[in-house]
Amino acid sequence: TDRKKLHTAPVGQVFRLRPFHVLVATGGGYAGYRKYEDYKLEQLEKRGIEVPVKLASEWEVALYKSVPTRLLSRAWGRLNQVELPTWLRKPVYSLYIWTFGVNMKEAAVEDLHHYRNLSEFFRRKLKPQARPVCGVHSVISPSDGKILNFGQVKNCEVEQVKGVTYSLESFLGPRVSSEELHFSQAPLGNSFQQQLVTKEGNELYHCVIYLAPGDYHCFHSPTDWTVSHRRHFPGSLMSVNPGVARWIKELFCHNERVVLTGDWKHGFFSLTAVGATNVGSIRIYFDQDLHTNSPSYSKGSYNDFSFISNNNKEGIPMRKGEHLGEFNLGSTIVLIFEAPKDFKFNLKAGQKIRFGEALGSL
């Protein structure tokens, strides 16, 4: 009679799964898996072992593309905007920080309780002094990330990683007219690559920067240039991490992307923001008409918008280091630009880079 009463409940009620529990378990499992895969890749690279290229077959690519990554990304985007209870913010964000190696000492606001949801945490701003912009070199990194590839464009093919290429024309789409890009020079050749080069003696260069989930998610202007045109390709939202980039040829051509084209002092210049799995949101600060990962889209289509108008004959001028846009979660930036033959990259494939550091110069 002196024993305390033990209150019980049906087993089904005790172990009933809730959406939040499923989200935490799935997200935690995926984070652990990605951490392990990245660790294996890093160990191979440290040992100087080149990871062999093993391209996916057509049916494997088709199977991957059949996964509703756009729908899942929109769902994940909405979950990211759900406000977390104050008591839950620190443990959730701390897990993310540990998993992806986030340096919160660089954040403008270090207090984790400040970020109401995951979306705000992903898009956190940095302290002004955290990323000094190199004033010596002509082209800087527009974002934090990892250099996947760089060099001259050859035979209208661009390497997304070493040994895996994609078509320059498929990636950028049909050439925009010289009048719309505000060029005075006429194209010098017949191939798509030659049509982009506006000055004799110049070459076309490219640089691919992968933003990991733990990186700073805003991107900036890599040089002084003028943006004349925007082309938006709705598409798949497959992962763009280096492992998948080695596996799927023309991965960047399959995925949703926003291509900004214009000119700088040496001719043609373009910056492309490539979307990826989860959220799939790309924002360009000066382009309020851009809406990415929309439920309604036509496969293989694209839409154009010109910043040249009767009221604006020049386009959108951008200064080196100026805020340009942002991703929700990690993705990829691809630079394709024209420069004289003596342009040199100050890079190594696979190296980590931060926004503001030099990419190359004359």
Side-chain angles (χ1 to χ4, degrees), residues 212-254:
D215 287 329
Y216 169 56
H217 286 70
C218 295
F219 51 93
H220 301 246
S221 176
T223 191
D224 296 336
W225 65 307
T226 301
V227 183
S228 304
H229 185 270
R230 179 259 290 163
R231 175 169 286 158
H232 173 215
F233 290 85
S236 301
L237 286 172
M238 295 184 283
S239 172
V240 292
N241 74 65
V244 177
R246 289 185 179 92
W247 184 52
I248 298 180
K249 183 179 173 64
E250 297 203 331
L251 171 64
F252 299 155
C253 297
H254 293 299

Side-chain angles (χ1 to χ4, degrees), residues 110-126:
E110 296 184 39
D111 182 12
L112 298 180
H113 296 101
H114 169 80
Y115 302 99
R116 295 172 298 177
N117 52 48
L118 282 166
S119 181
E120 287 188 1
F121 181 72
F122 292 150
R123 296 179 288 107
R124 64 192 176 278
K125 305 301 180 186
L126 298 181

Side-chain angles (χ1 to χ4, degrees), residues 276-317:
T277 309
N278 291 336
V279 185
S281 171
I282 303 168
R283 181 184 174 194
I284 305 297
Y285 293 139
F286 57 76
D287 189 353
Q288 301 300 318
D289 295 325
L290 175 65
H291 300 286
T292 59
N293 197 10
S294 172
S296 58
Y297 80 104
S298 177
K299 186 176 180 180
S301 65
Y302 63 86
N303 56 77
D304 288 343
F305 184 85
S306 175
F307 298 108
I308 303 293
S309 64
N310 292 330
N311 297 326
N312 182 7
K313 301 290 186 181
E314 301 296 326
I316 308 295

Side-chain angles (χ1 to χ4, degrees), residues 27-43 95-102 213-214 241:
Y30 175 76
Y33 169 75
R34 285 263 37 100
K35 190 78 172 178
Y36 176 66
E37 289 295 313
D38 291 343
Y39 172 78
K40 288 198 303 181
L41 190 60
E42 287 176 5
Q43 292 304 306
L95 175 62
Y96 188 92
I97 290 169
W98 173 80
T99 303
F100 297 110
V102 179
N241 74 65

Side-chain angles (χ1 to χ4, degrees), residues 27 55 61 84 119 172 183 186 208 250 277 294:
L55 293 178
V61 175
L84 296 175
S119 181
L172 295 178
F183 289 160
V208 183
E250 297 203 331
T277 309
S294 172

Side-chain angles (χ1 to χ4, degrees), residues 29-244:
Y30 175 76
Y33 169 75
R34 285 263 37 100
K35 190 78 172 178
Y36 176 66
E37 289 295 313
D38 291 343
Y39 172 78
K40 288 198 303 181
L41 190 60
E42 287 176 5
Q43 292 304 306
L44 290 173
E45 291 176 346
K46 286 180 180 178
R47 292 161 59 186
I49 300 175
E50 187 172 335
V51 180
V53 174
K54 184 181 178 182
L55 293 178
S57 61
E58 290 185 8
W59 72 265
E60 287 176 313
V61 175
L63 183 63
Y64 190 2
K65 293 179 72 174
S66 69
V67 177
T69 52
R70 293 178 63 85
L71 176 61
L72 293 173
S73 296
R74 285 195 296 274
W76 182 254
R78 291 186 180 181
L79 283 172
N80 283 351
Q81 295 173 0
V82 174
E83 185 170 341
L84 296 175
T86 305
W87 62 269
L88 191 59
R89 294 174 188 176
K90 188 171 183 178
V92 169
Y93 300 148
S94 296
L95 175 62
Y96 188 92
I97 290 169
W98 173 80
T99 303
F100 297 110
V102 179
N103 184 2
M104 284 303 293
K105 291 183 179 180
E106 297 177 333
V109 180
E110 296 184 39
D111 182 12
L112 298 180
H113 296 101
H114 169 80
Y115 302 99
R116 295 172 298 177
N117 52 48
L118 282 166
S119 181
E120 287 188 1
F121 181 72
F122 292 150
R123 296 179 288 107
R124 64 192 176 278
K125 305 301 180 186
L126 298 181
K127 294 173 182 175
Q129 67 275 19
R131 296 290 186 275
V133 175
C134 176
V136 178
H137 296 272
S138 56
V139 184
I140 62 168
S141 176
S143 66
D144 289 6
K146 179 179 181 180
I147 302 296
L148 294 190
N149 217 305
F150 63 93
Q152 283 191 20
V153 177
K154 298 179 180 179
N155 301 320
C156 295
E157 291 281 326
V158 185
E159 284 190 316
Q160 57 195 31
V161 294
K162 186 176 180 180
V164 183
T165 64
Y166 57 92
S167 163
L168 181 64
E169 186 169 7
S170 297
F171 181 68
L172 295 178
R175 183 176 178 275
V176 182
S177 66
S178 298
E179 293 77 12
E180 196 167 352
L181 287 180
H182 201 61
F183 289 160
S184 58
Q185 294 89 349
L188 300 177
N190 295 322
S191 73
F192 184 81
Q193 178 177 337
Q194 291 172 326
Q195 290 175 18
L196 297 180
V197 177
T198 62
K199 298 180 180 179
E200 188 173 359
N202 281 0
E203 297 288 346
L204 206 61
Y205 297 86
H206 75 100
C207 183
V208 183
I209 305 170
Y210 165 69
L211 287 75
D215 287 329
Y216 169 56
H217 286 70
C218 295
F219 51 93
H220 301 246
S221 176
T223 191
D224 296 336
W225 65 307
T226 301
V227 183
S228 304
H229 185 270
R230 179 259 290 163
R231 175 169 286 158
H232 173 215
F233 290 85
S236 301
L237 286 172
M238 295 184 283
S239 172
V240 292
N241 74 65
V244 177

